[in-house]
Amino acid sequence: MDKLSKAREYIKENKNKINQEYRLKYHFMSEIGWINDPNGFSYYNGEYHLFYQYYPYGSYWGSMHWGHAKSKDLIKWDYLPVALAPDMNYDADGCFSGTAIEIDGKLYLMYTGNISPNPDKPENIRQLQNIAVSDDGIEFTKFINNPVIDTKDLPSNALPQDFRDPKVLRKGDSFYAIIASRNTDGSGQLLVYKSNNLSDWTYLGVLLKSENKLGEMWECPDLFKIGDTDVVIISPQYIKRQGDKYCNTHSCVYILGKGDIETCNYTTSAIDEIDGGFDFYAPQTLQDDNGRQIMIAWIQMWERRIPTNEENHGWAGAMTLPRELRVINNKLYQIPVEEIKKYRTNLVKYSDISFENSLSLKEIEGQNIELDMKIDFLEANIFGLKILKGEQQETIMYYDKEKAKFVFDRSKSGVDISDSKADEDIKYVRKVGINLIENKLKLRIFVDRISVEIFIQDGEKVITSTVYPKSASRNIEFFSDGEVLINELNKWKIVL
Ligand code: FRU
């Protein structure tokens, strides 16, 4: 049987065998097997399409396929047949990440073929860029003249083993591909290629480069406009920690500025980490018919312990809630897409409650919920929440006014998934710098069994992490070191 049919068959036969214990209720996951990066995130024929790095046969990374799903509202997804399998000589060891573009009613995928003749010799890896096309958005045919960009098309300063994750975009009659590359100095850079037919590509130059200042290889680049700002997104490997920033092995960074892709010029006005949590990687964006720029990412980090893998649950990995991006005061804000509100049920509402020390409220609890709240700090310095609380378990978060930091702590969350190589102070804790506005803190917190996404001050900062509590750990407690006023508190169950 060919590799694509084999994968589709395997999923059908085995998807009912996975363990449900840690499954999320309102985030995207595969039916079975391992997922990592979102791929080909696009809006096609009035529906959202999400492809993803996929190994159906195990709960660990393996030979990459492209899984596929579509949605009318970005929240409820329908699984579609696996779109790509590594079945050609130019992608024999994996169909790696890439993007999608619609042209005259057809959906085109541009992706990296990974060839790794000897696993012990990473220097022999070769990465090539390929195209596949579909008339119906479901069955894809790989171009006859793949690879469309070969390693011989690389400039002399680029390593052939690290050349991947093309972002394809259109400007007028031309197509551009921005491709992650590793410079011979060991650090990341973004190469630009141009084409008028997706088959023949000409190298234009380097749009941006790390010069060893911002990590090593830059994975999964994206480039788009929000208003007048040209936004670049990259996932650099091994950025060195800078205090409370870049504490994960690999990080995600946004760059704001003004650029011209044709001349490969870019002037930077801001650089920051996209998400301050433990588990957020390889984001991708799309622009829909309403002009919204929407981002989705993998809720996981490389080189971590994953309980669903260790405990043989048959699946691993999920995607974040899709988030709308905005540029405000030279910062990138993230707001959960409006559509999530359709799935809010069972509202529990409190307003104007003041308390000191500790507070629990009737029906404020749960594992698949959204909390939306506004807090006036009055004279207090610390206000926080313990969520997913049960016998000896709790996931802690709080704002420290004096330090102007929001802190997330998963040391008591449940299964220990700490990174043994991490510095002691960041094994379980993440902090992001943010200010109160008129002494107030606004939080939107989405909890979905093993995922916690915290949107602070209307999305100015976000913290995304996984936690593995017992199913009975579902209580919530508020705490403070002085009197605070909860102006508003809304809790919903999110039910799809
Ligand atoms: C990022 C990444 C990409 C690559 C893919 C392989 O997480 O390493 O650079 O294309 O995953 O699965």
Side-chain angles (χ1 to χ4, degrees):
M1 204 191 293
D2 65 274
K3 281 193 173 170
L4 193 62
S5 313
K6 189 176 155 220
R8 292 175 174 184
E9 207 46 42
Y10 179 85
I11 296 163
K12 220 191 288 163
E13 294 297 314
N14 294 283
K15 64 181 182 194
N16 296 326
K17 298 184 188 155
I18 59 165
N19 186 319
Q20 299 291 327
E21 180 180 357
Y22 290 126
R23 297 285 281 176
L24 295 82
K25 288 262 167 63
Y26 62 93
H27 285 73
F28 180 79
M29 297 165 291
S30 66
E31 293 166 279
I32 181 173
W34 162 278
I35 70 171
N36 54 285
D37 314 358
N39 291 158
F41 189 39
S42 50
Y43 189 66
Y44 172 68
N45 284 348
E47 291 177 309
Y48 298 95
H49 283 254
L50 175 66
F51 302 81
Y52 44 94
Q53 288 288 281
Y54 188 30
Y55 183 62
Y57 306 108
S59 48
Y60 44 84
W61 190 84
S63 180
M64 283 290 111
H65 296 59
W66 274 38
H68 188 193
K70 66 171 186 171
S71 171
K72 288 198 170 19
D73 64 8
L74 291 156
I75 306 294
K76 213 173 196 165
W77 294 92
D78 295 324
Y79 294 115
L80 291 172
V82 172
L84 300 176
D87 51 12
M88 302 302 278
N89 58 4
Y90 52 77
D91 60 19
D93 298 295
C95 297
F96 275 17
S97 286
T99 50
I101 190 169
E102 190 255 356
I103 305 164
D104 298 333
K106 296 185 185 190
L107 191 63
Y108 291 79
L109 309 179
M110 187 167 193
Y111 71 97
T112 299
N114 189 56
I115 310 174
S116 176
N118 182 347
D120 296 330
K121 292 205 169 145
E123 66 277 15
N124 291 352
I125 289 175
R126 290 296 172 267
Q127 298 189 326
L128 315 161
Q129 316 314 320
N130 306 306
I131 302 270
V133 59
S134 170
D135 292 329
D136 60 2
I138 296 175
E139 297 297 335
F140 288 84
T141 310
K142 294 178 182 173
F143 265 24
I144 195 102
N145 46 343
N146 279 342
V148 293
I149 307 179
D150 204 331
T151 45
K152 66 176 181 331
D153 303 316
L154 279 168
S156 59
N157 65 9
L159 296 171
Q161 61 269 42
D162 283 303
F163 177 45
R164 58 182 176 270
D165 311 339
K167 161 78 183 190
V168 60
L169 53 94
R170 181 185 208 155
K171 232 177 131 190
D173 290 334
S174 303
F175 301 103
Y176 296 86
I178 296 156
I179 309 177
S181 149
R182 192 160 184 191
N183 191 287
T184 39
D185 73 6
S187 73
Q189 58 186 1
L190 303 182
L191 306 183
V192 180
Y193 289 80
K194 184 178 182 181
S195 172
N196 52 24
N197 58 10
L198 296 181
S199 274
D200 307 298
W201 293 87
T202 311
Y203 173 66
L204 289 188
V206 177
L207 183 70
L208 274 166
K209 57 182 171 187
S210 163
E211 288 168 326
N212 278 310
K213 289 189 198 105
L214 200 63
E216 299 180 11
M217 176 65 179
W218 286 357
E219 299 188 309
C220 302
D222 201 345
L223 170 69
F224 50 89
K225 245 191 187 339
I226 295 185
D228 292 336
T229 309
D230 293 306
V231 184
V232 174
I233 281 180
I234 44 175
S235 295
Q237 296 182 303
Y238 307 108
I239 297 194
K240 286 203 184 70
R241 179 180 170 190
Q242 295 171 14
D244 293 329
K245 281 192 190 174
Y246 308 125
C247 294
N248 295 321
T249 315
H250 311 308
S251 307
C252 299
V253 172
Y254 72 76
I255 305 174
L256 306 183
K258 279 243 166 273
D260 178 35
I261 195 163
E262 183 67 37
T263 56
C264 292
N265 277 314
Y266 191 92
T267 315
T268 301
S269 61
I271 299 186
D272 206 349
E273 188 166 23
I274 299 177
D275 189 291
F278 285 90
D279 299 286
F280 180 96
Y281 199 62
Q284 233 184 48
T285 68
L286 61 74
Q287 195 179 65
D288 72 3
D289 267 12
N290 304 321
R292 295 185 299 177
Q293 198 74 33
I294 298 166
M295 177 178 73
I296 194 166
W298 180 37
I299 315 188
Q300 190 56 58
M301 178 47 56
W302 290 109
E303 295 162 57
R304 286 264 176 75
R305 301 179 49 195
I306 304 178
T308 59
N309 178 37
E310 292 182 1
E311 297 169 24
N312 294 317
H313 286 200
W315 71 280
M319 299 298 176
T320 62
L321 275 184
R323 306 167 180 182
E324 188 181 338
L325 299 178
R326 296 199 191 137
V327 175
I328 303 170
N329 296 332
N330 214 24
K331 287 182 198 156
L332 191 70
Y333 278 61
Q334 304 173 52
I335 299 120
V337 290
E338 199 56 24
E339 287 89 335
I340 189 67
K341 293 183 179 167
K342 282 200 317 200
Y343 297 101
R344 289 169 162 175
T345 62
N346 303 70
L347 170 65
V348 181
K349 198 177 170 70
Y350 290 90
S351 46
D352 295 326
I353 304 179
S354 62
F355 82 97
E356 214 176 321
N357 297 328
S358 163
L359 175 74
S360 302
L361 292 165
K362 196 163 161 255
E363 289 186 78
I364 301 292
E365 55 88 51
Q367 288 202 329
N368 309 96
I369 58 166
E370 176 189 348
L371 287 168
D372 186 9
M373 52 202 301
K374 196 160 140 196
I375 291 97
D376 190 328
F377 267 62
L378 304 178
E379 298 302 313
N381 181 49
I382 302 263
F383 163 83
L385 283 80
K386 297 174 179 174
I387 62 167
L388 299 168
K389 228 172 110 66
E391 225 177 284
Q392 291 173 0
Q393 292 188 340
E394 58 195 24
T395 295
I396 307 164
M397 64 188 87
Y398 61 89
Y399 185 74
D400 182 331
K401 188 174 156 180
E402 213 173 272
K403 299 205 173 87
K405 296 266 175 189
F406 192 92
V407 181
F408 177 82
D409 178 346
R410 65 177 182 183
S411 58
K412 296 186 203 150
S413 290
V415 182
D416 188 342
I417 46 174
S418 63
D419 172 3
S420 58
K421 285 177 289 185
D423 296 342
E424 212 44 53
D425 63 320
I426 55 167
K427 256 193 157 120
Y428 301 101
V429 176
R430 289 289 180 273
K431 297 178 184 170
V432 295
I434 189 152
N435 293 319
L436 294 182
I437 299 170
E438 292 169 356
N439 209 31
K440 287 185 181 162
L441 178 70
K442 280 171 95 177
L443 294 176
R444 260 180 100 184
I445 304 167
F446 291 87
V447 184
D448 195 4
R449 189 64 184 92
I450 59 160
S451 80
V452 180
E453 289 165 283
I454 310 163
F455 296 83
I456 311 165
Q457 302 298 46
D458 293 314
E460 185 183 337
K461 286 280 160 78
V462 186
I463 297 182
T464 302
S465 301
T466 57
V467 289
Y468 290 85
K470 292 190 180 133
S471 57
S473 300
R474 47 185 301 119
N475 291 329
I476 295 178
E477 180 193 335
F478 302 96
F479 62 92
S480 71
D481 68 350
E483 194 186 6
V484 297
L485 176 65
I486 301 181
N487 296 123
E488 282 164 38
L489 166 63
N490 295 312
K491 186 218 103 179
W492 295 269
K493 251 190 222 166
I494 304 285
V495 180
L496 262 50

